[in-house]
Amino acid sequence: MDSLLKLMIELFGEQHQLILAMEECSELTKEISKYLRGEDNKNNIIEEAADVLIMIRYLQLILNISDEDLNQMIEFKLNRTTERYKKGE
């Protein structure tokens, strides 16, 4: 998968992929909003979530973010949220 993503970055450029990342996050936000208003759009949410995950991979490649770095930050943030919850924040 990474080789295809790298090819797309070469073809379209980093800036283009970063703009797409913002757009895909916005599209996911829109679908979640529709769901909260009662729309039955689970498949749309799945599609947009997949797009966002792909764009996160682009971000990793463009910004040289390793899986380990990303996973460490995820763990840090989950632990921080858990600690805040325990403290009643």
Side-chain angles (χ1 to χ4, degrees):
M1 178 173 76
D2 281 356
S3 60
L4 180 58
L5 296 176
K6 287 177 184 177
L7 174 63
M8 299 301 280
I9 292 168
E10 288 177 25
L11 288 173
F12 297 108
E14 290 181 0
Q15 183 175 354
H16 176 79
Q17 295 310 110
L18 293 172
I19 291 168
L20 285 179
M22 292 186 297
E23 291 173 358
E24 294 299 346
C25 289
S26 176
E27 290 174 14
L28 178 58
T29 299
K30 181 179 78 173
E31 291 303 326
I32 293 169
S33 179
K34 288 178 182 179
Y35 176 81
L36 290 172
R37 290 192 313 261
E39 191 167 320
D40 182 17
N41 62 339
K42 181 179 175 182
N43 287 335
N44 293 18
I45 291 173
I46 293 168
E47 180 180 348
E48 296 305 336
D51 287 342
V52 168
L53 289 172
I54 291 167
M55 299 316 295
I56 288 170
R57 192 67 189 138
Y58 275 121
L59 291 173
Q60 284 185 267
L61 292 169
I62 292 168
L63 301 173
N64 195 29
I65 300 169
S66 70
D67 289 341
E68 182 180 341
D69 289 341
L70 192 57
N71 288 330
Q72 284 178 353
M73 184 57 70
I74 290 168
E75 186 175 339
F76 168 78
K77 289 191 164 270
L78 289 173
N79 288 335
R80 183 179 67 184
T81 300
T82 301
E83 289 303 314
R84 287 178 176 168
Y85 175 77
K86 288 179 183 177
K87 292 178 183 177
E89 293 181 18

